[in-house]
Amino acid sequence: MATNMPSYYEYDEDYSSDDCSKEDVIAFGSIATPIIFCLVIILSLFGNLLVLVILIKYENLKSMTNCFIFNLALSDLMFTLGLPFWAFYHHMHEWTLGDTTCKVVNFVFYAGFYSSVLFLTVMTLQRYRAVVYPLSDRGENRTHFALALTLLVWALSVVAAMPATLHNKVQTHNNESHCQYDDIKWKKAAAYQQNIFFFIAFGIMCFCYSRILQTVLKSPSSKKIRTVKLIFVIVVVFLVGWAPYNIVIFLKTLSDQNPFNDCDVSIRLDYAFYLCRLIAFSHCCLNPVFYAFLWKASESDHS
């Protein structure tokens, strides 16, 4: 009997078949994924909880930047809470936690992901406005604006997470239970939705940071080199972390088309999926470094 391929999060290959055995891919994923996820969980919990403690005890949460950093840390923690379930699922090759838990875990996981991307985008726009148009927000009630924007981001994240919540459920294949989409159409729609979120966010980041860079290079400040390095790091980390993963999940939606339905191509795409996902999901434990501590250094130069 062919061995099943767990189909969790979004887009793992559905199942092995007699014509295309994927036991080696499954073995690789069952070893690498739990190990890396456990490391990411530990680092993310430590880093993001530390950020929350520092902000609550030592910083002013009425500041727009601090407000967004605080919510970004919450988003990353929310995203992280889904990883232990997927690590366990991958290790067991089967979902044993019931249909309700399947839906709840998907909601927490996706809402954490989308809110993280949106808060990174909002923080980019806020930095862009503060640096390129430093006088434009004088006289505004920034606390109320930050609160309204925060509520909007969480509302959009909940809406974006609902398809995965409603259309993921426990299904049985070859006597094994899996938490997965109930329709291939929703599976592809989720992939396209995630691609759209990523490329819009990345486009906004590139535009804003290019303008910030131009402004900083014209500034006589002796600290501009540090800010230039920060901008470069932010863009590169975001691109390297998420671009390959989004490209792979898009290619996997083409698995029913030539040449993607070829067995060798499909197996290579599965390996690429595992590796790119591990890199992308590590972003939640890097955010505390690049968007809290280093970001504060940048803010002190230009606020």
Side-chain angles (χ1 to χ4, degrees):
M1 181 178 66
T3 304
N4 285 356
M5 168 68 77
S7 181
Y8 68 93
Y9 187 44
E10 297 122 337
Y11 319 106
D12 279 341
E13 199 65 58
D14 291 328
Y15 300 102
S16 301
S17 66
D18 294 334
D19 298 329
C20 188
S21 176
K22 295 188 175 181
E23 282 76 8
D24 291 341
V25 181
I26 297 171
F28 171 79
S30 65
I31 295 173
T33 302
I35 293 174
I36 300 301
F37 276 13
C38 287
L39 180 61
V40 170
I41 291 166
I42 294 171
L43 294 175
S44 178
L45 289 176
F46 175 79
N48 286 293
L49 287 174
L50 181 62
V51 169
L52 293 181
V53 170
I54 291 174
L55 288 174
I56 292 173
K57 293 189 65 175
Y58 303 108
E59 299 291 341
N60 177 19
L61 288 178
K62 293 183 179 180
S63 161
M64 288 186 66
T65 299
N66 289 341
C67 177
F68 295 146
I69 291 175
F70 183 88
N71 281 276
L72 176 61
L74 289 179
S75 299
D76 288 334
L77 285 174
M78 193 173 184
F79 177 87
T80 303
L81 290 177
L83 296 183
F85 295 92
W86 300 131
F88 177 75
Y89 180 21
H90 214 294
H91 176 71
M92 296 296 294
H93 302 293
E94 186 174 10
W95 186 265
T96 60
L97 303 175
D99 194 66
T100 300
T101 305
C102 170
K103 292 182 178 296
V104 170
V105 170
N106 271 284
F107 173 77
V108 170
F109 192 80
Y110 277 92
F113 166 76
Y114 284 116
S115 59
S116 179
V117 172
L118 288 173
F119 275 117
L120 293 180
T121 306
V122 168
M123 290 170 68
T124 298
L125 292 170
Q126 189 264 336
R127 267 297 68 212
Y128 167 77
R129 189 182 186 190
V131 174
V132 179
Y133 303 103
L135 302 180
S136 62
D137 60 350
R138 289 191 175 184
E140 293 183 358
N141 192 326
R142 302 177 68 181
T143 301
H144 289 171
F145 180 74
L147 178 60
L149 202 53
T150 296
L151 293 176
L152 177 61
V153 167
W154 282 112
L156 289 174
S157 301
V158 169
V159 171
M162 289 311 296
T165 305
L166 297 175
H167 295 281
N168 267 282
K169 64 181 182 180
V170 177
Q171 300 183 71
T172 302
H173 300 270
N174 295 338
N175 297 320
E176 292 184 0
S177 298
H178 298 279
C179 177
Q180 63 183 113
Y181 281 97
D182 55 12
D183 193 313
I184 189 65
K185 294 181 180 178
W186 284 106
K187 182 179 179 181
K188 290 185 176 183
Y192 300 145
Q193 176 178 285
Q194 185 168 328
N195 289 157
I196 291 170
F197 263 80
F198 168 76
F199 286 110
I200 290 178
F202 184 67
I204 291 173
M205 291 178 69
C206 286
F207 170 79
C208 291
Y209 286 137
S210 64
R211 291 295 309 277
I212 291 173
L213 188 59
Q214 293 173 8
T215 303
V216 170
L217 290 177
K218 295 177 182 179
S219 171
S221 173
S222 60
K223 298 180 180 180
K224 66 182 180 180
I225 299 300
R226 179 173 59 180
T227 303
V228 171
K229 289 181 179 179
L230 171 62
I231 293 171
F232 178 78
V233 168
I234 289 174
V235 175
V236 169
V237 168
F238 188 76
L239 177 63
V240 172
W242 287 106
Y245 176 68
N246 277 273
I247 292 172
V248 168
I249 63 174
F250 172 75
L251 292 177
K252 287 180 74 65
T253 65
L254 306 176
S255 59
D256 57 343
Q257 304 177 26
N258 290 323
F260 298 101
N261 60 2
D262 178 79
C263 182
D264 290 338
V265 174
S266 180
I267 289 175
R268 293 192 186 97
L269 201 57
D270 287 341
Y271 276 118
F273 174 80
Y274 280 121
L275 292 173
C276 292
R277 180 180 56 191
L278 293 176
I279 295 172
F281 287 12
S282 300
H283 200 264
C284 64
C285 61
L286 295 176
N287 280 340
V289 176
F290 295 114
Y291 291 91
F293 302 110
L294 293 181
W295 195 287
K296 292 296 290 181
S298 175
E299 185 185 40
S300 65
D301 291 345
H302 300 287
S303 296

